Amino acid sequence: MKKAIIFIFAITLIGVGIITIHSQKEFNDNLNSNEIGEKHQDEIYMEVNIMADYAVIDPKDLYNYSDIVVLANYEKDKATKISSSGQAFTTSDFKITKVLKNKKDIYLNETLSARYIGGVVSLKDVSNSNSESLKKKVNLEGLTEEELERKKIKFSLEDIGDKSLKENKERILFLNYDEKTGEFIVVADNYGMISQKDGTIFDVKTKSYKSFSFLK
């Protein structure tokens, strides 16, 4: 995957407080599982705010860095899965309206599924996952089957000032293609699936919509 990421985790435990974790190792080693395991009535049992330093975030750089760039409309989330490292990844469907770049001449269907970091999973998903580190830190002991299904962990990307997928379905997607898995992966996550409006796209630096030459 063509991106350089340094993860900084800010873990918000609902009803408990905030813990800032500066590395995956600290995430695995330093969370107090007793605190996480307290029973809460809220559906969102725990929130993980994900902050990362990316190699590129400017739209012009993202265009040059990507294998594929398309204008598309967000349709729906297909699935959110937990990796062995304890991170959540969501795959969503987008309907392509225009192809701006296809460096590898990859065949593209009308609807494209793209993967990015973030999403909501149930405690049941955690229980069934291959992430032993996450299961160890999230104390599931004593929770009923109904509670495991109902209570959620939300992995949230940092707010870059753009509208959410639900608020504005029209997107430009900067993608890399994983030849081994056949997956389309969003470059720099939320920086790489920014909203579009009337021939312009969201620019994170100015927090406004701008036109770029590659859009024409």
Side-chain angles (χ1 to χ4, degrees):
M1 190 185 307
K2 300 179 182 177
K3 57 184 178 181
I5 303 173
I6 302 173
F7 285 111
I8 301 176
F9 292 92
I11 313 298
T12 303
L13 308 185
I14 304 301
V16 175
I18 297 175
I19 301 172
T20 301
I21 306 299
H22 295 283
S23 69
Q24 181 71 44
K25 185 177 186 302
E26 287 186 54
F27 176 71
N28 290 338
D29 294 345
N30 295 345
L31 280 177
N32 187 312
S33 59
N34 290 328
E35 289 185 281
I36 297 175
E38 289 187 8
K39 293 183 180 179
H40 305 289
Q41 298 305 312
D42 307 277
E43 183 181 272
I44 299 299
Y45 183 69
M46 180 169 74
E47 184 168 358
V48 179
N49 294 316
I50 305 164
M51 301 175 65
D53 290 334
Y54 295 96
V56 289
I57 61 172
D58 182 84
K60 290 182 291 185
D61 295 332
L62 286 166
Y63 179 85
N64 293 329
Y65 197 71
S66 301
D67 295 330
I68 297 165
V69 181
V70 297
L71 300 181
N73 293 327
Y74 165 76
E75 292 194 325
K76 63 181 180 180
D77 294 339
K78 288 180 66 177
T80 300
K81 297 181 179 180
I82 303 170
S83 70
S84 58
S85 66
Q87 183 61 276
F89 292 88
T90 293
T91 301
S92 298
D93 280 347
F94 297 85
K95 186 174 182 180
I96 297 174
T97 58
K98 186 177 182 179
V99 178
L100 301 176
K101 180 181 180 181
N102 188 352
K103 186 170 68 174
K104 296 183 178 180
D105 292 325
I106 298 163
Y107 177 77
L108 299 174
N109 292 314
E110 184 179 10
T111 298
L112 176 148
S113 298
R115 194 190 78 179
Y116 52 91
I117 290 175
V120 176
V121 296
S122 70
L123 295 187
K124 183 70 172 179
D125 293 328
V126 175
S127 177
N128 292 336
S129 75
N130 292 324
S131 176
E132 296 303 322
S133 60
L134 185 59
K135 283 191 279 190
K136 182 179 178 181
K137 300 307 175 182
V138 179
N139 189 351
L140 305 176
E141 187 177 352
L143 295 177
T144 65
E145 193 70 19
E146 186 274 334
E147 287 175 314
L148 289 173
E149 293 282 0
R150 175 170 53 85
K151 292 181 181 291
K152 314 291 184 184
I153 298 180
K154 183 179 182 180
F155 291 78
S156 300
L157 290 164
E158 62 179 306
D159 184 1
I160 64 172
D162 195 9
K163 292 182 178 179
S164 71
L165 287 173
K166 304 295 192 298
E167 293 171 319
N168 187 342
K169 297 180 184 299
E170 295 181 283
R171 296 280 146 169
I172 182 169
L173 301 178
F174 299 95
L175 305 168
N176 280 331
Y177 180 70
D178 188 327
E179 294 182 358
K180 291 182 178 179
T181 64
E183 290 181 297
F184 297 97
I185 301 169
V186 178
V187 177
D189 300 306
N190 51 349
Y191 291 98
M193 51 181 180
I194 51 181
S195 62
Q196 56 162 314
K197 181 176 67 174
D198 301 326
T200 62
I201 59 176
F202 182 77
D203 177 55
V204 68
K205 291 184 178 178
T206 62
K207 307 298 183 189
S208 63
Y209 286 86
K210 293 177 60 177
S211 179
F212 293 86
S213 59
F214 59 78
L215 292 170
K216 301 173 182 176

